[in-house]
Every structure is written in C-alpha cells, then in structure tokens.
DNA sequence: GATTTTATGTCAGTCTTGTTGACTTTCCAA
DNA sequence: TTGGAAAGTCAACAAGACTGACATAAAATC
C-alpha cells in the first residue's frame, strides 16, 4: 500500500475512494467484533447494550449525575431512565440524592453492578488487548489518532475530559 | 505515551487497563461520529441505518443475493426483507429472479438508489478523509490493522473477500 | 415572597430494527 | 416422484430509540 510519502519525504495522502471505502467497511465489521463479547454476556442476563453503556460510564465516573450521563450517551432522558430504573430495581446501580443540590441524583455501582461491569469489561478489554498485540504498538497509536479525529468536536472534548479524569 | 519499545528495541506492549479502556471509549465515540453524517441524510428521507447498510453492500457487490447479504449484515432474513421491500417499493433497489436458480433474488441499485448511495458515501468518506489527513499516513495503516484484528475471524474473512473484490 | 428555571421522573404513543414462527416456491437427491 | 433443504415472504412481537405532555422538588432570580 502507498504509505503517503513522496520521494522528497513530504507527507501526502493519496486516498482513493476505494481505500476510504475499505476504512468504512473496516469500521463496520470491527464494531461488530467490538460489541460481540459483551452482547453475549448481556443477553444471558437479560440486558442490552444500553445497560452496558450506562454501567460503563457510571463505573468510569462514580457519582455522576443523570444529566451528565445524558450528555455522554446522547440519548433522551426517557430512554436513559428506562435503563436506569431496571438497573436500580435489580440492585446494580444506586441512585443517591445530591447533598449540595438535592435535585440531582448521583449514580453509583453496587457490588453486584461492579461485578457485572468487570465481567463485561474483562471480555471487551481482552478483545482489545489481543487486537493491539497483533497490530503492534505503532498501530495502536495510529488507531487512537484516527478514532479521535473521527469524533464530532463536542464528543471529542467529552472524550478527552474523561481521559483526564483517569490517570493515564 | 509509552511506545512499547524497550531500550533493546524489542517490541512489547505495556497495556494498562486504563489504556485499554480509553481504546474502548474511543471506539464508542468515534462510531457515533462515523454514523452521524449518513444518519442525518437518511433521516431526511425517512430511512435508517439498516437501509444504509443494505444500499452500501448492494452497491459494493451488484447482483448479490439476499443470502449473501444476510451473511454480511448478520441479521435475520426477515429483518433484511423488511428493509429490502421498502427499498424496492421506493424504486431504489431492483430485485431480479435468478436465472440458474429461480429461488434466488439478485439485487441491484437503480439510478435513484445509486444517487442516494453516492450522497451517503460522499458524506462518510469525507469524514474519513479528514480524519485520515489529521492523523497522518502511518496512523491510517495502524488504524486499519487494529480494526482488522478486532473482527471475528469469520467476518474478517468476509471483509478480506470484499477487499479483493474491489481493485485496491 | 413570588416566579422562573433546572434536574429528574413518568405516562403515552410512535418508529426502527431486531427477533421467532409459519408459510410458499423452488431445487435437488434418494 | 417424493421428501427434504434452501431462498424468500408474511405476521406478530420485543428492545430501545424517539417526541410530547406533565409532575415534582429544589434552586435561582426577580
């Protein structure tokens, strides 16, 4: 494949429609792989991807509010509420009224919720780890760079804020 | 960031859970961006992602059968059928009874179908092109390598068969 | 103190897209 | 030639998204 370098060393991209289409299809098929393992686990327990997403981001930012979660997930509150309600009823998520602002609900995973989060994320991380290992370290950096450049600016800011919240 | 090379030059991957989680979130947010532009166009015309996927792969392999499409898309035939029916009714897809095997239906885009396909894929390719340009040529190779490694083996074979079908 | 805004939750109804089950037509092989 | 398998269609249902209207409580503002 063309590596995009001219003889003079200048970096150019010769991107044919064909190459771009391959990238698009790669995203499509890879995303299927990406969700396959968690989907299997969720299905056994009667949950769906919506539950996984909620669990993931609550685990990521314990104590986050409903509104916060809404802006991350990009769904309506009615849609999120349905998911949260079942998770609270099933004892996977705890919803605590805010201390400063009593209108807010702060969301936490219970021990049971943590356990499911770990099961889901173990599976997904393992898939990621294997893919990274096969592709190699430089590939991983490229992967991350392209994905970040593909995000909508607003989501990209959100993503990087999450990134800083962790301690990379 | 750690580039995974030891002083001796040996390639190792130091993948913390944190780094893997970032990759997972990057996939999540990037996929939203990836589908955002086509989703907008589809919404205007009263179609959804399922229609886009069908249109994409029919355009990619004109004359493909329903069964072929099923194995690519990974849904039930009943689900695909509903989508195909509306596309045929709306005059975007033509379904021709097979000549050798009359049980088969061979699928083709009409001119109208081609036009929508172009509109959708122009938008999606543009997003891809911008992301590739921002990330740089090496990143593009890494991106593709990781995505491919993330696919289920069966889908990966399918993906590479599509790849050969085109003339890269 | 009264009013408005914000955060959350809920009910009802719709849409897309997935599912399973039952059915027809066609092909092929015993 | 008949019986099973394969390709496709129709019907009914479920998950999970959506909109819109409304309720409640708390905070913020006038």
């Amino acid at each position: 494949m063309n590596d995009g370098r001219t003889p003079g060393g200048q970096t150019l991209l010769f991107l044919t429609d064909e190459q771009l289409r391959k990238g698009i299809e790669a995203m499509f098929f890879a995303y299927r792989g990406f969700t396959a393992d968690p989907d299997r686990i969720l299905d056994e327990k009667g949950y769906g991807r919506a539950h996984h997403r909620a669990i993931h981001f609550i685990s990521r930012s314990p104590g986050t509010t409903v509104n916060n979660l809404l802006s991350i997930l990009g769904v309506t509150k009615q849609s999120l509420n349905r998911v949260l309600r079942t998770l609270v009823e099933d004892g996977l998520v705890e919803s605590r009224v805010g201390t400063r602002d009593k209108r807010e609900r702060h969301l936490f995973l219970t021990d049971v919720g943590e356990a499911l989060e770990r099961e889901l994320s173990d599976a997904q991380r393992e898939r990621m780890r294997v893919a990274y290992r096969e592709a190699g370290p430089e590939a991983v950096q490229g992967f991350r760079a392209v994905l970040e450049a593909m995000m909508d600016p607003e989501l990209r800011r959100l993503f990087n804020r999450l990134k800083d919240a962790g301690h990379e």
Side-chain angles (χ1 to χ4, degrees), chain A residues 101-159:
Chain A
D101 188 333
K102 289 180 191 163
R103 290 171 305 179
E104 293 178 341
R105 301 296 136 89
H106 298 275
L107 304 169
F108 301 86
L109 292 184
T110 64
D111 290 350
V112 183
E114 293 277 12
L116 178 55
E117 195 284 326
R118 214 168 308 120
E119 190 178 353
L120 292 168
S121 105
D122 279 354
Q124 204 159 32
R125 283 203 312 275
E126 187 53 26
R127 160 97 54 166
M128 215 65 166
R129 193 193 321 275
V130 169
Y132 277 5
R133 187 173 304 137
E134 183 183 327
E138 305 87 12
V140 171
Q141 302 215 31
F143 170 72
R144 283 284 299 277
V146 174
L147 286 188
E148 196 169 338
M150 248 166 62
M151 298 175 196
D152 275 339
E154 194 197 347
L155 289 178
R156 189 168 177 174
R157 276 194 298 277
L158 248 167
F159 171 72

Side-chain angles (χ1 to χ4, degrees), chain A residues 5-151:
Chain A
R5 295 207 178 262
T6 63
Q10 189 193 3
T11 296
L12 284 173
L13 284 177
F14 298 110
L15 295 170
T16 64
D17 276 8
E18 216 21 50
Q19 287 171 323
L20 291 166
R21 272 174 209 272
K22 298 294 164 40
I24 289 168
E25 284 168 358
M27 270 300 275
F28 173 67
F29 288 116
Y31 201 77
R32 293 253 294 275
F34 173 69
T35 56
D37 303 322
D39 280 354
R40 256 188 300 277
I41 296 167
L42 289 159
D43 196 55
E44 289 168 13
K45 327 229 171 204
Y47 295 118
R49 266 184 219 177
H51 301 88
H52 185 188
R53 293 195 282 264
I55 287 171
H56 174 96
F57 287 106
I58 293 172
S59 162
R60 198 76 155 107
S61 312
T64 188
T65 64
V66 174
N67 246 355
N68 245 309
L69 212 47
L70 282 178
S71 56
I72 290 171
L73 297 177
V75 297
T76 58
K77 61 177 180 175
Q78 294 91 330
S79 197
L80 176 57
N81 190 256
R82 182 172 357 104
V83 168
L84 283 180
R85 190 165 39 197
T86 71
L87 290 176
V88 169
E89 279 170 5
D90 295 356
L92 279 79
V93 167
E94 194 191 345
S95 166
R96 296 184 206 151
V97 172
T99 47
R100 279 184 330 208
D101 188 333
K102 289 180 191 163
R103 290 171 305 179
E104 293 178 341
R105 301 296 136 89
H106 298 275
L107 304 169
F108 301 86
L109 292 184
T110 64
D111 290 350
V112 183
E114 293 277 12
L116 178 55
E117 195 284 326
R118 214 168 308 120
E119 190 178 353
L120 292 168
S121 105
D122 279 354
Q124 204 159 32
R125 283 203 312 275
E126 187 53 26
R127 160 97 54 166
M128 215 65 166
R129 193 193 321 275
V130 169
Y132 277 5
R133 187 173 304 137
E134 183 183 327
E138 305 87 12
V140 171
Q141 302 215 31
F143 170 72
R144 283 284 299 277
V146 174
L147 286 188
E148 196 169 338
M150 248 166 62
M151 298 175 196

